[in-house]
Each structure stands twice: as structure tokens, then as C-alpha cells.
């Protein structure tokens, strides 16, 4: 009796629970849409339900993904979930994606609109349907698998790596950047122009400014002048931990855009 009672309670809870949950785990690449099978409760004689979307934002508001508000069928329940972020997201099996409603009670009745409003609504629906069919036909001509139901990516790290490489390729001229120590002066500075090129603090008085210029001029070989690199005739000792050994590490990967700048 206790087992039968628990079964009835679970069945009653399932009937009262309006959540629409993912039926399997799916990886959605950045700025993409995936078809995700879902599980939810349908009434005995109910073939269609309305799903109200839920926005999911795992990190911040910019990394959101969600399905649209739509009707789903009992014989093939699924949602098209859009990833609006620039990184892949993983929708786990059992994750809530929407809230189900009875369309007969939740949606507006067509009779509540005037004749003019009904005409405009039907015309808009017909336009959306025509555009959807045209887009689907165009994609099917290009590739039969272009409307894949779910992600075929086996590893999220591969998706993240490929997405990063695609986003790093510049559309125009490469952006200047990279390590500051690797940047050369735009033009050679002549020794006679050295004092005039210095950007000294404006709050210095004349005496302080003269003393500083005297010191800088005395050690002008420490600066890059006349096309040569600055050098300092001094030795530097870097203390290490006792027993420390050399470490050999592979070079860090860089995107094509960064490699071009480096």
C-alpha cells in the first residue's frame, strides 16, 4: 500500500508540475540555436500545450540562453533554445527551460479581437509562416543536415577553442597591441633632441628641472637614442630558492591576430 501511495503521489505531482525540462544534455555553440527534446506533462486528451520561456543566465546577463514562447505537440515535444552569448553553454538533462500552460486558458481568444485586428493578426502569421518555409527550403537545398536537431560536438573544450579562433581573426587591419616591451619607438630620437623629448612633471620648479635634466643627460646611454637600444653597464643578481631547477614550458598558444602583432 505504501508503494502504491508513493506512486500515486509522484503521478499527482507530475500532473501538477508545469515545468518543461530538457530530456537530454545538449551543448549549444556560441550564438547558435539547437533543437532540444523536452519532457512535460500533457493532460489525457491534450495534444498541444503552450510553453512560456524562461531565461537562463549562468554567469551574467550577457550570457543568456532561452527558447521562444511557442506551442509544442505531445507526439514530438521539443524546444529550439538560442544561445545569445559568445561562449558555449551546456543544457543539462532535467534542466527547466519553460513553464507549460493550457493554451485554451492561457492564450487570448480570436473572438476577443475586432475584424480589423483579426485580419492584421492572420496576415502577420501568414507572413511569418511563409518566411519560415522559404528559409527552411533554402537551408535544405544547401545541406540536408543544416537543420540538425541537436549539437554534434562531443567536447565543449573543442567548441570553445574553435570559437575563440574564429572570433580572433580580424576583419580588417590588425589591432596594434602585444607586450609593451616588444614595441619599438615609432621614430628614432636624436641625442641632441633628447632633452626636448622628455615629459617631465610640470610641478617641478626650474632648479629641480635643471638637476633632473643633468642626471638624465649624464646617463643618456640608458635610453634608446640615434637608432640604438638603451644599455646599462651593470650586473643584476636574481636570487632563487635553494635547490631550484630550470623549468621548461611550451610556448603559450596565441591566436592568428595576436601572432601577427607579436
Amino acid at each position: 500500500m505504501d508503494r502504491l501511495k508513493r506512486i500515486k503521489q509522484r503521478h499527482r505531482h507530475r500532473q501538477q508540475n508545469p515545468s518543461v525540462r530538457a530530456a537530454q544534455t545538449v551543448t549549444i555553440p556560441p550564438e547558435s540555436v539547437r533543437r532540444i527534446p523536452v519532457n512535460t506533462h500533457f493532460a489525457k486528451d491534450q495534444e498541444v500545450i503552450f510553453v512560456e520561456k524562461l531565461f537562463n543566465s549562468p554567469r551574467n546577463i550577457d550570457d543568456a540562453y532561452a527558447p521562444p514562447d511557442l506551442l509544442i505537440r505531445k507526439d514530438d515535444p521539443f524546444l529550439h533554445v538560442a544561445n545569445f552569448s559568445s561562449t558555449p553553454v551546456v543544457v543539462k538533462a532535467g534542466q527547466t527551460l519553460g513553464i507549460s500552460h493550457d493554451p485554451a486558458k492561457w492564450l487570448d481568444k480570436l473572438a476577443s479581437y475586432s475584424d480589423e485586428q483579426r485580419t492584421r493578426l492572420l496576415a502577420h502569421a501568414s507572413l511569418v509562416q511563409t518566411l519560415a518555409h522559404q528559409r527552411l527550403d533554402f537551408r535544405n537545398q544547401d545541406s540536408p543536415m543544416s537543420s540538425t536537431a541537436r549539437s554534434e560536438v562531443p567536447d565543449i573544450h573543442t567548441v570553445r577553442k574553435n570559437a575563440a579562433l574564429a572570433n580572433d581573426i580580424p576583419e580588417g587591419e590588425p589591432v596594434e597591441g602585444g607586450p609593451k616591451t616588444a614595441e619599438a619607438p615609432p621614430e628614432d630620437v636624436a641625442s641632441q633632441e633628447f632633452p626636448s623629448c622628455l615629459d617631465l612633471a610640470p610641478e617641478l620648479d626650474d632648479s629641480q628641472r635643471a638637476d633632473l635634466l643633468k642626471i638624465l643627460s649624464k646617463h643618456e646611454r640608458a635610453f634608446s637614442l640615434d637608432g640604438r637600444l638603451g644599455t646599462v653597464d651593470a650586473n643584476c643578481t636574481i636570487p632563487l630558492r635553494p635547490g631550484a631547477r630550470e623549468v621548461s614550458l611550451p610556448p603559450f598558444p596565441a591566436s592568428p591576430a595576436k601572432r601577427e602583432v607579436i
Side-chain angles (χ1 to χ4, degrees):
M1 292 296 295
D2 293 338
R3 181 173 179 273
L4 180 60
K5 184 177 180 181
R6 289 196 298 270
I7 293 176
K8 289 182 177 180
Q9 287 177 348
R10 286 199 298 267
H11 180 69
R12 190 181 306 110
H13 175 72
R14 192 180 301 112
Q15 289 181 332
Q16 296 174 352
N17 186 4
S19 299
V20 180
R21 302 179 183 273
Q24 64 186 50
T25 300
V26 176
T27 300
I28 309 179
E31 300 177 355
S32 302
V33 179
R34 284 294 179 265
R35 183 183 190 271
I36 300 181
V38 295
N39 294 323
T40 189
H41 174 72
F42 285 82
K44 184 178 181 180
D45 299 327
Q46 194 174 34
E47 296 296 328
V48 177
I49 62 170
F50 177 77
V51 179
E52 180 185 5
K53 65 177 177 291
L54 287 180
F55 272 91
N56 290 273
S57 182
R59 290 176 292 272
N60 53 63
I61 194 171
D62 296 327
D63 296 334
Y65 60 95
D69 295 333
L70 78 166
L71 298 167
I72 62 174
R73 295 172 55 86
K74 185 177 182 179
D75 56 353
D76 187 20
F78 68 89
L79 296 175
H80 280 111
V81 181
N83 177 15
F84 304 103
S85 70
S86 57
T87 57
V89 297
V90 179
V91 178
K92 297 290 186 179
Q95 182 175 337
T96 302
L97 298 175
I99 304 297
S100 65
H101 300 280
D102 183 356
K105 300 177 180 178
W106 185 260
L107 300 178
D108 293 337
K109 301 295 189 298
L110 191 61
S112 62
Y113 294 94
S114 64
D115 293 340
E116 182 181 356
Q117 289 175 326
R118 285 199 295 269
T119 301
R120 294 172 57 186
L121 289 174
L122 293 175
H124 181 75
S126 177
L127 174 62
V128 173
Q129 185 179 31
T130 301
L131 293 175
H133 283 302
Q134 290 178 351
R135 181 173 179 81
L136 181 61
D137 292 341
F138 174 77
R139 295 180 64 182
N140 288 339
Q141 290 175 4
D142 181 54
S143 172
M145 298 301 294
S146 60
S147 57
T148 304
R150 58 187 176 88
S151 174
E152 298 295 337
V153 180
D155 187 359
I156 184 173
H157 299 289
T158 304
V159 178
R160 188 181 300 274
K161 179 180 178 182
N162 294 338
L165 290 176
N167 291 335
D168 282 339
I169 297 176
E171 296 181 357
E173 294 296 327
V175 179
E176 294 185 0
K180 296 301 181 183
T181 56
E183 291 185 0
E187 295 181 0
D188 294 335
V189 178
S191 300
Q192 58 270 23
E193 298 177 358
F194 175 59
S196 60
C197 293
L198 295 175
D199 184 13
L200 302 180
E203 59 269 16
L204 297 178
D205 56 33
D206 294 341
S207 176
Q208 293 173 330
R209 186 181 183 88
D211 292 340
L212 182 57
L213 286 174
K214 182 178 179 180
I215 296 174
L216 293 176
S217 299
K218 180 180 179 181
H219 301 284
E220 67 175 15
R221 292 190 59 82
F223 301 92
S224 177
L225 301 174
D226 299 324
R228 60 169 174 77
L229 295 177
T231 58
V232 177
D233 187 13
N235 295 325
C236 178
T237 302
I238 302 177
L240 301 177
R241 292 182 180 179
R245 301 179 60 184
E246 298 83 357
V247 178
S248 177
L249 294 176
F252 290 99
S255 65
K258 292 179 180 178
R259 285 200 298 268
E260 186 173 351
V261 173
I262 293 174

